[in-house]
Amino acid sequence: MTSTPPIRIGVAGAVGRMGRAIALSARGREDVVVSVLFDRPDFAGQTPEGFAAPLGDVAAALAGCDVIIDFTAPQASITLAQACAEAGGPALVCGTTGVSEADEARLRAAAERIPMVRTGNFSLGLNLMLGLVRQAAAALPARDWDVEVFEAHHRRKVDAPSGTALMLGAAAAAGRGVALADVSERGRDGLTGARAPGAIGFTAMRAGGIIGEHSVVFAAEDEIITFSHSARDRSLFARGALAAAAWVVGRPAGLYDMMDVLGFKRGDG
Ligand code: NAD
């Protein structure tokens, strides 16, 4: 029996919540091995609590990994993606949210030179829900059915709405054949006036240790449909990111998402 060597993974933001969850989820797996753990440049060489060895740095990850998994912060992700692109690899799995449209364009440019999986949510269930929301939005006329996206996350989350909420809003907009930017309604406060026809509204709650709650409500005058997803453990995203890492190594350069990794078909709404 031939055995393929494990995929060597670098973890950016290794000290953070997601970085730690990824390193933990990779333990005991035979298909992947965490080769380099690194965080901010000034952390290199330090051994944070709970770590068995000192942290590495980005140069070690570029040289010694097949793929880097990155859950950090927008500027850190852009810098890392550009470094991977300039070096012609490794591949990248990027889950950082709160990235501006201009910076998303920079990530897309980097993905012209390396294979990259980029998504605001790595869960199977949530990605399935995206397809259902798109189908519902295509079937339910906008003049009768209002769409609202609710999300709740822990008190330390720094961006809103969540990347996942925006993906759900984009799925509803795609089902209706409109651009989310043209119909998005955010941050209602005070005398807002009546709801604009066709608007897709967003509400964000920040409290306690909530890992990730998302609902999409389709509300007509006398009936309501709610799709909802609840993340119970961060390891859910870590497992999805590891699956994406194993999937992306060896692919042609380009930008992929979880629909590609999971083999879901697009445009079926
Ligand atoms: P966190 O603050 O716990 O961790 C971020 C880590 O990145 C920190 O340890 C920080 O020191 C590190 N970092 C900052 N600058 C860096 C740099 N230049 N190089 C390397 N590391 C650097 O945050 P978290 O909860 O782990 O989330 C990280 C990101 O992932 C956020 O944007 C969050 O919204 C997103 N997220 C996405 C998903 C998803 O499924 N796509 C799931 C959970 C979290």
Side-chain angles (χ1 to χ4, degrees):
M1 214 169 71
T2 53
S3 64
T4 36
I7 288 165
R8 298 166 304 161
I9 291 181
V11 179
V15 183
R17 283 175 287 270
M18 278 306 301
R20 286 176 188 265
I22 287 160
L24 204 61
S25 291
R27 267 187 214 162
R29 284 179 61 149
E30 290 179 358
D31 58 334
V32 296
V33 59
V34 174
S35 302
V36 181
L37 291 162
F38 66 105
D39 202 274
R40 289 174 8 200
D42 53 313
F43 286 9
Q46 295 180 23
T47 309
E49 203 184 325
F51 282 63
L55 292 168
D57 60 17
V58 69
L62 290 176
C65 298
D66 302 305
V67 54
I68 296 175
I69 301 180
D70 166 36
F71 287 82
T72 54
Q75 191 48 54
S77 293
I78 307 307
T79 306
L80 178 62
Q82 289 173 342
C84 290
E86 272 161 35
L92 197 57
V93 171
C94 180
T96 302
T97 64
V99 176
S100 69
E101 192 36 55
D103 281 342
E104 289 289 356
R106 292 186 178 97
L107 289 177
R108 284 195 292 276
E112 288 171 11
R113 295 163 73 180
I114 53 164
M116 182 191 302
V117 178
R118 169 93 183 107
T119 179
N121 196 299
F122 283 90
S123 105
L124 167 67
L126 194 288
N127 279 276
L128 179 68
M129 185 166 135
L130 286 174
L132 298 174
V133 164
R134 183 178 165 138
Q135 274 187 319
L140 302 169
R143 67 174 179 278
D144 298 326
W145 293 83
D146 297 330
V147 180
E148 285 284 312
V149 183
F150 290 94
E151 57 105 336
H153 281 86
H154 54 87
R155 61 167 75 98
R156 292 166 294 273
K157 185 165 176 61
V158 295
D159 55 309
S162 69
T164 302
L166 293 170
M167 287 164 70
L168 288 163
R176 287 184 168 174
V178 297
L180 179 60
D182 294 340
V183 294
S184 167
E185 206 169 279
R186 287 153 71 158
R188 297 189 195 101
D189 188 20
L191 271 178
T192 58
R195 191 189 163 91
I200 295 178
F202 289 87
T203 307
M205 167 177 153
R206 295 289 172 266
I210 299 168
I211 290 175
E213 303 288 322
H214 292 90
S215 301
V216 181
V217 177
F218 290 80
E221 208 58 64
D222 47 14
E223 57 180 326
I224 294 175
I225 303 168
T226 306
F227 295 92
S228 68
H229 181 267
S230 184
R232 299 300 170 92
D233 193 299
R234 213 160 259 118
S235 64
L236 161 78
F237 305 125
R239 284 195 306 275
L242 286 168
W247 179 90
V248 78
V249 171
R251 303 260 161 200
L255 190 61
Y256 304 97
D257 63 20
M258 236 13 220
M259 299 286 195
D260 297 306
V261 175
L262 294 167
F264 290 174
K265 281 196 182 142
R266 289 168 175 284
D268 55 353

